Each structure stands twice: as structure tokens, then as C-alpha cells.
Amino acid sequence: EALTIIDTRTPNPRSFIKGATGDWEIVIGMEVHAQVMSESKLFSGSSTEFGCPPNANVSFVDAAMPGMLPVINDECVRQAVRPGLGLKARINKRSIFDRKNYFYPDLPQGYQISQYKDPIVGEGMVLLDMGEGEPIEIGIERLHLEQDAGKSIHDQHPNMSFVDLNRSGVALMEIVSKPDLRSSDEARAYLTKLRAILRYLGTCDGNMEEGSLRADINVSVRRPGGAFGTRCEIKNVNSIRFAGQAIEFEARRQIDLLEDGGEIDQETRLYDPRTGETRSMRSKEEAHDYRYFPDPDLLPLEFDDAFVDSLRHDLPELPDDKKARLVAEYGITPYDASVLILERETAEYYEAAVRHAGKSRDGKAVANLVMGDVSAYANSVGLSVHQTHITPAQIAGIVDLVADGTISSKIAKDVLAIIINEEKEADPAALVEKRGMKQVTDLGAIEKVVDEIIAANPDQVAKVQAKPTMIGWFVGQAMKASGGKANPQALNEILKKKLGL
């Protein structure tokens, strides 16, 4: 649908793309289709369950049998208002369903029931933390409700296509951004944040691989701060990684074409992840091509302030509020908080570790462990942090052992590695005791190790006395000799004293 073209961003040289004839700026707007979480479809009682046999979830309404009338599913209405509140958007208490006319084999009615001039949700915004100062505000143009189409299947037969209408009539929210995004990184961050908001609210599961969240991405290029260029729409991108790749390829394609003296045709394109390229699909339709008109079978959708207030009252803590609270309560950086809140369960896992057994731990130490080695392990096995076997209690135990000087931060990594690979249910304190991993804080024992290394390396002693920064060599040798268990602070102090630094 047509975007309101108002430029709200100051050009940022960090996001410019170098061309043969100078710098270019990408302008990106998105239309995200999010499948509404509800047990039945927007205008029929058919199930929305994913993965059923073809055409198992199809009523006479979904199949567009003559005389069938749509009846609005009020849960879908609630599920559309909730993200409107989450996006701090204007809620329109009167909205109208229109018929968007086009012919396609998997659209049995020959039109889609959608909303055009009077959507259920108006202007709102999404905040992006890109780790560079103040968050970036990305405008939301609108959110409207519409039916999904069915699915055409082209790879089951050499010369016939099949149609599965299970998805036909499933409720979608189309969330249209303003053209405020200026790089593939921002586009990925926007999709990630929007998905997080929808998941927190329980209005869409965000499973892009199942098609329940997909993006149409409008890409154009221009000289920095200049007039908007002609945009091309990349249709149905179903992965955040692919979204970034598609934008980068398409922007470079348009820049090369313009620099060669060509013109950009406004068209719809598809992204092929196998080749990493976009290809032309069809010329882009304009709104008038769809011949919108109010659906004569549906009255305007109207509700009152009490309905909106009841939904607002039941909203969970949303990502931006949770981020602000984590920063204030636990003293972590806004960037760390913005990573932790992307999945509600990960944020809950983090807080459970910080607060385990009624104690209050160093929030930064817990964040470092969760976002560092635990996250790396989770990624390696294709899980989220909260889905791994590592418990918040184990994280808390490791952080406590470092805090009271029982183990060093280096030994903490070894303890976590043992819990990951060998003793999955181990209590960190018992594990350290059993394996003799305690940090050596006995000054006499550390002194003995230092004396032996100094006696055996007179040449190195002379070098470090001439150049004190070389003390690192002695620290490394002493750590090696103590099996990594020497208290680093005590070791440094003893070395400096013995070497006369």
C-alpha cells in the first residue's frame, strides 16, 4: 500500500554505500505480514493449526461457496489492537473492511477482505538500539487486518499445480512501516524487534520458517539527503538473515543500474537465497489496480474506549520497558539489555540467575556469562539460551564462586565447559570442590611458584627489569605452573615485589 513519503531521518555517513560516482543512501520501508494467533480464522470457524493435511481446515466460507457470509472473529480484533498498543499507535475505534480485487488460483473469492483507507490501527513507532547513542525511531504507518490467501504448490507434478486452502482466510496483521530504515542492519534490527514485540504480546508466534511472519521489503536508493528514488518491492522474505542479504543485493543492483545511465522500473521482485540475488516477478500494482471498495457483507468494525482500556490493562511488560528496568535494576549497559530482552524467556532466565535463592548478584557478571559462553553454546546447538540444559541456578553458582574468590574468571569458563560437556546437572560449588579447581590464594604457595620461575629464567628477569610491561610473560608462566589456579591479583603483587618493579 502507498507509504506516506515524509523524510524523518538525518543522513548518516556510516550507512552510505560507495558507488563509482559517489555515495548512495538506501531507503527501506517494510510491510510485515504477521499471522494472528487465534484458534479459528478471521471470518470462519475453521482451525488455524499448522501442518494439517492439505485442505483439512477449510469451511464453505474459506472455499467461497455461493451465499456464504463472513462473520468477524472477535479474538482476532483483540489480537490486532494489542500490538497497536505495544507500538504506541493510534487505535481507530471505527475501521472498515474492503474488498481488494485480484484473481489468483489460491484466492477462491477472487478478492481478499482487507482494510484500506480506514485501518484498525494508525500511526505508531518502533525504537531500535543500534549501539550508537540514542535509539532510532522507526515510524509505523498503519496496522490493518486482512485474510491470508491459500497456497499454490508447483513441485508435486510435472504439468499441474495444486492448491491447499488451509491457510485461506487465516487472519493476518499487515504492519506497514514508514520509509525510515537506512541500512540492512537497521532492517534486520527492525524485524527482530517487531517480532519480539508480537511474541511478548502473544499475538503472533513469529515462526518465519512456517510462514507466520514474512516481510515485503521496499528498497530504493538516492544520493544522500536527495529525493526518494523509484522503489522495488521484494516479496515474501521469510528470514531475517535473507532480508539483510536481499536488501544489500537489491541496493547494489539499483546503484549499478543508475550509474550506468539506466532507470529503475517500479516492480515486484523475489529473493532467491540459493543465488543471493533478486529477480523480477511482475510490474508493481498500484492501489487503484485492486479496485478497493467497502465489503458489502461486513458492517464497519466499531468498539469503545472501555474495550481498548481492558486490553491495555492486561498488557505484559514490553521489550522497551523491560530494557529500561534491567538497566536501572541491574546496572547493565543499554546494549546488553537490548540483547537480553529480544526473547522474553531469555530475559526471564537472566533475571532468575541474578536473583537466584533470594540473593542479588552483580548483573553485569551474569550478563557476561549468559551473553558470552552460554549464548555461544546455545547457538552451536541451534537453541535459545533458555532452552539449554544449563540452569539459572548453575549460572548463579558460577558467578558466586568468582565473586567470593573461590575461582578465577578463567576457571569459571572451565567449570561451565564441564557442565556443558560432562556433568550436565552438577552444582558448580560441588564440582569445584570435587575436581580441586579452587583458586590458590595461599600467598606462600604462590610465592614458591614465583621463586622457582625467577630462579630458572635469569635472562627474562633482566628483560622485565629493563621493560616492566614484559611482566605478562611471568604471569603466564606462573599461571601455567599453578594449573590456572593462582589468584591473579596476589600473583601480580608478588611478582612486582620479587622483580623490584
Side-chain angles (χ1 to χ4, degrees):
E1 281 34 298
L3 295 171
T4 303
I5 306 295
I6 299 172
D7 200 355
T8 60
R9 297 283 303 272
T10 305
N12 179 358
R14 277 199 290 273
S15 63
F16 294 169
I17 295 182
K18 292 260 178 275
T21 60
D23 288 336
W24 294 85
E25 187 177 28
I26 318 179
V27 176
I28 305 158
M30 280 205 207
E31 297 160 18
V32 173
H33 294 87
Q35 184 177 317
V36 173
M37 282 176 72
S38 68
E39 291 184 4
S40 52
K41 296 181 181 180
L42 183 55
F43 297 114
S44 84
S46 299
S47 169
T48 57
E49 188 182 347
F50 180 79
C52 293
N55 298 305
N57 301 340
V58 186
S59 72
F60 289 142
V61 174
D62 310 321
M65 292 298 173
M68 291 297 106
L69 293 175
V71 178
I72 188 91
N73 177 346
D74 60 359
E75 178 56 19
C76 292
V77 175
R78 290 190 192 90
Q79 290 288 59
V81 173
R82 287 182 183 110
L85 295 169
L87 297 167
K88 298 180 174 52
R90 188 182 73 247
I91 308 298
N92 296 324
K93 286 174 287 183
R94 185 179 194 274
S95 60
I96 291 171
F97 284 102
D98 296 277
R99 288 188 182 181
K100 178 181 181 181
N101 295 274
Y102 62 98
F103 174 78
Y104 212 69
D106 55 24
L107 190 73
Q109 296 163 163
Y111 60 83
Q112 178 188 35
I113 302 178
S114 182
Q115 294 185 314
Y116 179 45
K117 286 184 177 162
D118 297 284
I120 192 167
V121 174
E123 293 190 345
M125 54 110 176
V126 170
L127 290 174
L128 303 185
D129 189 340
M130 302 303 293
E132 300 173 356
E134 288 299 301
I136 299 165
E137 188 174 307
I138 305 301
I140 298 293
E141 181 82 15
R142 56 191 280 138
L143 178 155
H144 65 255
L145 272 171
E146 64 184 24
Q147 302 169 298
D148 205 349
K151 183 180 179 185
S152 294
I153 301 161
H154 307 293
D155 58 0
Q156 305 284 310
H157 193 279
N159 52 15
M160 284 197 290
S161 290
F162 296 108
V163 172
D164 177 5
L165 294 179
N166 278 350
R167 220 167 58 186
S168 175
V170 166
L172 295 178
M173 296 174 281
E174 181 170 341
I175 303 161
V176 183
S177 85
K178 297 189 177 182
D180 289 350
L181 297 157
R182 292 291 176 271
S183 69
S184 59
D185 285 345
E186 287 183 9
R188 281 191 290 261
Y190 170 78
L191 270 176
T192 304
K193 183 69 174 288
L194 188 58
R195 183 169 69 163
I197 292 168
L198 296 173
R199 282 177 158 173
Y200 269 64
L201 291 162
T203 56
C204 174
D205 63 22
N207 289 337
M208 297 184 85
E209 63 281 0
E210 292 181 3
S212 54
L213 190 77
R214 47 195 197 269
D216 297 342
I217 307 169
N218 290 291
V219 179
S220 64
V221 296
R222 64 175 180 181
R223 293 298 184 186
F228 284 110
T230 302
R231 71 180 192 271
C232 293
E233 181 182 47
I234 307 165
K235 201 83 180 157
N236 280 336
V237 180
N238 66 349
S239 131
I240 291 172
R241 186 164 57 90
F242 292 165
Q245 292 169 356
I247 289 164
E248 284 162 20
F249 175 85
E250 180 60 21
R252 178 52 65 188
R253 182 190 76 84
Q254 291 184 21
I255 290 166
D256 290 348
L257 192 56
L258 290 169
E259 290 191 326
D260 284 345
E263 288 186 355
I264 306 298
D265 292 326
Q266 183 167 327
E267 61 182 352
T268 300
R269 299 179 69 84
L270 285 176
Y271 175 67
D272 185 342
R274 290 168 304 177
T275 61
E277 297 176 353
T278 64
R279 64 173 189 273
S280 183
M281 181 182 167
R282 59 175 184 260
S283 62
K284 171 68 177 157
E285 298 89 347
E286 296 291 354
H288 59 76
D289 295 329
Y290 292 120
R291 304 187 316 282
Y292 282 95
F293 64 88
D295 191 300
D297 293 334
L298 287 159
L299 290 167
L301 176 61
E302 296 182 337
F303 45 77
D304 57 14
D305 287 329
F307 176 77
V308 178
D309 290 342
S310 69
L311 293 172
R312 184 181 282 113
H313 180 264
D314 293 334
L315 290 183
E317 182 181 41
L318 288 164
D320 287 337
D321 299 328
K322 194 179 285 288
K323 175 186 159 186
R325 183 174 61 76
L326 294 186
V327 170
E329 277 187 33
Y330 304 126
I332 59 177
T333 65
Y335 177 77
D336 285 354
S338 69
V339 173
L340 288 168
I341 56 96
L342 284 176
E343 289 193 28
R344 194 185 75 244
E345 297 87 350
T346 299
E348 288 167 356
Y349 177 98
Y350 165 76
E351 289 201 77
V354 178
R355 297 267 189 228
H356 178 67
K359 285 175 71 175
S360 188
R361 289 166 188 81
D362 177 358
K364 183 65 183 165
V366 176
N368 287 346
L369 202 53
V370 170
M371 292 166 60
D373 290 5
V374 178
S375 182
Y377 165 66
N379 289 338
S380 74
V381 291
L383 297 173
S384 295
V385 164
H386 65 274
Q387 295 170 325
T388 67
H389 66 269
I390 306 159
T391 65
Q394 288 172 320
I395 300 294
I398 293 172
V399 170
D400 289 346
L401 291 168
V402 175
D404 66 18
T406 303
I407 60 174
S408 64
S409 51
K410 183 187 177 302
I411 297 172
K413 285 177 172 288
D414 299 335
V415 173
L416 183 59
I418 292 167
I419 289 171
I420 287 171
N421 300 308
E422 299 172 45
E423 301 192 37
K424 297 190 172 182
E425 294 177 13
D427 169 61
L431 184 64
V432 166
E433 188 69 48
K434 182 174 81 173
R435 298 216 177 188
M437 299 172 80
K438 281 187 179 176
Q439 186 168 240
V440 178
T441 49
D442 176 352
L443 299 185
I446 296 173
E447 214 165 323
K448 186 168 175 290
V449 170
V450 169
D451 286 340
E452 286 170 6
I453 292 168
I454 288 174
N457 296 281
D459 293 350
Q460 290 291 341
V461 172
K463 283 180 187 173
V464 79
Q465 284 169 340
K467 192 179 179 187
T469 53
M470 288 184 70
I471 195 171
W473 184 87
F474 282 94
V475 173
Q477 292 299 309
M479 275 298 192
K480 205 165 158 187
S482 70
K485 294 180 198 169
N487 180 307
Q489 204 178 344
L491 175 61
N492 267 293
E493 284 169 14
I494 289 170
L495 273 169
K496 282 177 182 170
K497 194 169 97 184
K498 296 272 181 183
L499 292 165
L501 301 178

